[in-house]
Amino acid sequence: MTRVTDDVKYMRLAVEQAKKCKPASGAYSVGAVLVKDGEIISAGYSRELEGNTHAEECALIKLASPKCAVGATLYTTMEPCSTRLSGKKSCTDRVLENKISNVIIGIKEPPNFVKCIGADTLSESGVHVSYLSELDAECRAPNDHLL
């Protein structure tokens, strides 16, 4: 498979994760898939685990060890948050702490709740960030209740 084909495949799996979210009026429905060496090492979706959890957070919590994420690629249907209204650690900070090398994003976080600068912060910190614009509509669909 080519890199682009792999990206589409993994992002579609992230979309499937996002579809598992129960829509909430005050939160986005996001899916995330972590891939390392061509293998899925974890996946998650918003509010999957207790405590108002985000998709990227869930995927990282479910890893056998935080060291598993070093050098991995994160596919997320929406830009990782840079600020959480709950006061919890942002997903951007979690990506940096876990030394994830690449983040492939479906869509930017809309400004409904906060102004997100996650992609910019990651790029400035040396993480390779790219958008998979050809799946824009698929990544937006789980959030039709908000967008």
Side-chain angles (χ1 to χ4, degrees):
M1 274 189 174
T2 65
R3 175 76 177 148
V4 172
T5 304
D6 284 347
D7 287 348
V8 168
K9 176 182 88 171
Y10 293 129
M11 187 61 77
R12 283 201 166 120
L13 292 172
V15 169
E16 290 306 310
Q17 290 291 309
K19 289 177 181 178
K20 295 178 181 180
C21 298
K22 182 178 178 184
S25 62
Y28 297 113
S29 295
V30 178
V33 173
L34 267 171
V35 177
K36 187 171 182 180
D37 300 325
E39 299 291 326
I40 296 171
I41 59 171
S42 190
Y45 59 92
S46 302
R47 301 173 299 285
E48 175 183 7
L49 303 174
E50 287 294 317
N52 185 31
T53 52
H54 286 192
E56 302 91 339
E57 178 182 13
C58 290
L60 289 165
I61 287 170
K62 294 190 295 183
L63 288 173
S65 161
K67 293 179 183 177
C68 296
V70 174
T73 297
L74 172 67
Y75 293 84
T76 181
T77 58
M78 188 178 288
E79 176 182 19
C81 68
S82 55
T83 302
R84 300 216 26 201
L85 294 176
S86 66
K88 291 179 73 175
K89 186 182 301 183
S90 75
C91 292
T92 295
D93 287 343
R94 291 174 192 279
V95 166
L96 294 172
E97 282 179 0
N98 284 276
K99 298 180 176 30
I100 292 170
S101 298
N102 303 292
V103 177
I104 313 295
I105 300 169
I107 60 172
K108 283 199 66 66
E109 180 176 332
N112 294 31
F113 307 115
V114 298
K115 181 181 188 296
C116 185
I117 57 168
D120 291 340
T121 301
L122 292 171
S123 290
E124 291 165 6
S125 300
V127 176
H128 180 263
V129 176
S130 59
Y131 287 88
L132 197 58
S133 58
E134 59 262 45
L135 296 183
D136 183 90
E138 290 177 52
C139 291
R140 285 185 188 284
N143 293 290
D144 283 345
H145 64 289
L146 294 172
L147 304 179

